[in-house]
Amino acid sequence: MKTCVNCWELKLLEGFRPGNGMKGRVKWCRQCEELHGPCIPVRNHRPKPKPKPKPKPKPKPKPKPKLWSPDPSTLTTRACQRCRLEKPEDEFAGMRGAVCALCRRGRDAESLERRRDADRSWTAWCKANPDVVARYGRRWELEDARRRERSTTHKKRWRIKNRERHLAAARLAAHRRRARKAAATVEPFTVDDMLRDWEEHDLYACAFCGGPFEEIEHIMPLSRGGEHSIATRTSGWRRSSRS
């Protein structure tokens, strides 16, 4: 069965002339072709999609012109970038100096004058607004006191929590001070460096008698020309070190 496009009646396929249409038949039935003439098949051509335009190539950036840089060893004069005058090499600071000595002094004087003007304006403002200055001064004092209190509290907590490290650091500072007073050689090191060195050499007791570790001593005393370094620091017992 097929529907005629002209009369819109559903008819058998035999009622249509063979062609290239639907099911190998034309669109009009034989009766419509006898009345109106033969049906000329019109192909439904879809328009071809237009080709996408090719993107325009980006223009290549122009190369920057190379600045001419003469050999500084052959120069006898140079142009100042501030006053634009040719001056001898002696008036410039080094090989890369771009401003002559006269312009450099003038620039420094201008900068100093600007700072002085700013200081004068600030002093005048403070004299004109003493209440505001006093209020901000009190606020700063309170904040500074709070910061100091927080820092002191934190340091106390750390000393209580790390008592051994604090005592070792205090002993090292005292020994370093004594070594400087005795004009001995002082090599800087920290408590961690010293403890790491002791662990490598198994120094967990007194190095002189094997007793309990109580103090940090010099192998060669400072009074006999010893130096203050990791190699001369060792663990000691108070009795054996005093004897």
Side-chain angles (χ1 to χ4, degrees):
M1 303 294 287
K2 186 177 179 180
T3 304
C4 177
V5 178
N6 188 34
C7 62
W8 297 102
E9 293 182 2
L10 188 63
K11 298 180 180 181
L12 296 173
L13 292 177
E14 288 76 6
F16 294 87
R17 183 170 54 84
N20 297 327
M22 181 181 175
K23 299 181 181 180
R25 306 282 176 168
V26 295
K27 295 183 179 182
W28 288 8
C29 61
R30 294 180 186 272
Q31 296 178 0
C32 294
E33 284 186 343
E34 292 175 358
L35 293 174
H36 305 286
C39 174
I40 301 174
V42 179
R43 295 182 180 179
N44 186 15
H45 292 288
R46 293 182 180 179
K48 293 183 179 180
K50 294 181 180 180
K52 295 182 179 180
K54 295 182 179 180
K56 294 182 180 180
K58 295 182 179 180
K60 294 183 179 180
K62 295 181 180 180
K64 295 182 179 179
K66 294 184 178 179
L67 298 177
W68 179 72
S69 56
D71 187 7
S73 61
T74 60
L75 289 178
T76 55
T77 60
R78 193 185 305 181
C80 176
Q81 294 186 1
R82 191 176 177 88
C83 62
R84 305 295 180 180
L85 297 177
E86 291 285 341
K87 296 188 177 182
E89 291 284 340
D90 300 339
E91 297 189 12
F92 293 88
M95 300 298 294
R96 296 181 177 272
V99 182
C100 63
L102 183 62
C103 295
R104 191 164 59 249
R105 286 194 294 269
R107 183 182 58 187
D108 296 343
E110 292 175 1
S111 177
L112 180 61
E113 190 63 28
R114 285 196 299 269
R115 288 198 297 269
R116 287 177 177 175
D117 292 341
D119 293 342
R120 293 192 201 100
S121 61
W122 171 249
T123 305
W125 184 88
C126 291
K127 290 181 179 179
N129 302 275
D131 300 337
V132 180
V133 175
R135 184 169 67 250
Y136 276 99
R138 288 192 297 270
R139 182 184 299 179
W140 182 86
E141 290 177 359
L142 291 174
E143 292 179 357
D144 186 58
R146 291 171 185 169
R147 283 194 298 269
R148 290 182 179 179
E149 185 178 358
R150 286 196 298 267
S151 176
T152 305
T153 305
H154 174 72
K155 289 179 181 179
K156 287 182 179 179
R157 289 177 181 174
W158 186 88
R159 290 168 184 169
I160 294 173
K161 188 177 180 180
N162 305 275
R163 186 172 180 275
E164 296 297 332
R165 289 174 59 85
H166 168 62
L167 293 177
R171 294 191 197 101
L172 279 180
H175 293 168
R176 196 181 305 117
R177 187 165 53 251
R178 284 173 47 211
R180 289 199 181 100
K181 286 183 178 180
T185 304
V186 178
E187 294 183 4
F189 60 92
T190 61
V191 179
D192 296 333
D193 298 338
M194 183 184 66
L195 295 178
R196 197 180 302 113
D197 182 72
W198 286 7
E199 288 179 1
E200 292 178 359
H201 296 85
D202 296 332
L203 294 176
Y204 296 102
C206 178
F208 302 104
C209 64
F213 162 62
E214 292 182 350
E215 291 183 343
I216 303 173
E217 294 293 338
H218 290 90
I219 298 176
M220 176 65 70
L222 298 176
S223 60
R224 297 181 183 178
E227 63 179 14
H228 182 76
S229 62
I230 295 181
T232 61
R233 308 294 290 149
T234 184
S235 58
W237 189 26
R238 186 171 300 176
R239 293 182 181 179
S240 59
S241 61
R242 295 292 187 274
S243 59

